Amino acid sequence: MAKTQDEMKLEVAQAAIEYVVPGTIIGIGTGSTANFFIDELAKIKGKIEGTVASSVASAERLKSHGIQVFDLNHVSEISVYVDGADESNKYLHLVKGGGGALTREKIVAAVADKFVCIADESKLVPYLGKFPLPIEVIPMARSYVAREIVKLGGEPVLREGFTTDNGNVILDVHSMEIMEPTKLEQQLNNIVGVVTNGLFAMRPADVLLLGTQDGVKSMN
Ligand code: 5RP
């Protein structure tokens, strides 16, 4: 019988436990795949010092398991960051932010020594951009940023009724075939009013654990 997407997410979450370094602080992503990882981490919570969460939702889930969550400003080292993605190419450049947590995710990934991305096989794509690229924007800059994105060839759509954990809005950019992820990540960062864009190319994942019908495949 074919595995479901959730079964593949669970398998990669279990595989990611191998990357947990005992006695250290673990960075925790956001989303349904990251939730599976949190639940697996709970089983070995006595072996880690604690966690830093990339969203309020993940922090709440961690705390519900009795796992310590530190403020990033009180932490200087994170051994590994484990998170899902909306898309990955074979270079482990990612699109993230489907859950709107991209800014805190990028910050925690930047601090971590190693970024382990966990995803089911549907997330591996030849080119990034089919999944609308999320961009977190300061609310007053929303229209200006949208006009600048149109100049870059994208079609920005405001994520209705959504406010990020940082009090900002999200523009989801459609119709972009992203051939040069690093270049586009920098171009988007240069638009005044953009807080973060969902391209993780300048700091890609170090390892991609991909859940497939034939088991977990590791790419790096
Ligand atoms: C949240 C994210 C998630 O990692 C991404 O949306 C994947 O989510 P899921 O594991 O539910 O498919 O970037 O901001």
Side-chain angles (χ1 to χ4, degrees):
M1 208 169 63
K3 282 179 205 163
T4 64
Q5 214 177 11
D6 274 355
E7 284 167 340
M8 289 188 273
K9 288 178 184 182
L10 174 61
E11 281 185 6
V12 288
Q14 288 168 336
I17 291 292
E18 297 293 316
Y19 289 84
V20 170
V21 183
T24 66
I25 294 173
I26 312 299
I28 308 292
T30 299
S32 58
T33 321
N35 281 345
F36 279 111
F37 177 71
I38 292 171
D39 297 346
E40 291 303 308
L41 190 65
K43 297 175 188 169
I44 57 154
K45 65 183 178 187
K47 293 191 176 157
I48 59 168
E49 192 181 341
T51 59
V52 170
S54 62
S55 63
V56 172
S58 289
E60 279 170 3
R61 195 176 186 99
L62 287 158
K63 286 178 197 161
S64 77
H65 282 300
I67 299 174
Q68 172 118 37
V69 181
F70 292 105
D71 181 326
L72 182 60
N73 290 310
H74 299 150
V75 163
S76 56
E77 270 186 48
I78 294 174
S79 58
V80 62
Y81 176 59
V82 180
D83 195 3
D86 299 303
E87 285 184 340
S88 175
N89 65 17
K90 64 180 178 184
Y91 305 108
L92 312 195
H93 298 147
L94 312 174
V95 167
K96 290 186 47 54
L102 60 159
T103 298
R104 296 188 187 196
E105 291 172 344
K106 211 177 251 197
I107 293 167
V108 184
V111 176
D113 294 339
K114 183 176 274 191
F115 179 1
V116 176
C117 182
I118 51 175
D120 68 87
E121 61 189 349
S122 69
K123 306 291 182 69
L124 185 63
V125 294
Y127 301 104
L128 303 177
K130 196 168 175 201
F131 188 92
L133 177 65
I135 305 196
E136 181 165 355
V137 177
I138 301 284
M140 74 167 285
R142 179 182 52 136
S143 299
Y144 167 71
V145 171
R147 289 194 297 275
E148 291 300 302
I149 288 169
V150 169
K151 288 183 197 164
L152 292 173
E155 289 173 26
V157 175
L158 178 67
R159 200 177 290 185
E160 291 288 348
F162 186 84
T163 304
T164 70
D165 286 348
N166 313 306
N168 298 313
V169 297
I170 299 273
L171 294 174
D172 290 305
V173 182
H174 296 248
S175 305
M176 277 201 142
E177 199 167 87
I178 302 170
M179 306 307 284
E180 296 178 279
T182 307
K183 186 175 169 195
L184 184 62
E185 184 176 359
Q186 286 166 331
Q187 283 176 315
L188 291 168
N189 282 346
N190 283 342
I191 302 173
V192 175
V194 167
V195 177
T196 314
N197 71 82
L199 276 169
F200 285 54
M202 289 191 285
R203 201 282 181 248
D206 299 303
V207 179
L208 173 62
L209 297 176
L210 208 59
T212 77
Q213 291 297 336
D214 304 324
V216 175
K217 290 191 178 148
S218 175
M219 294 171 63
N220 54 17

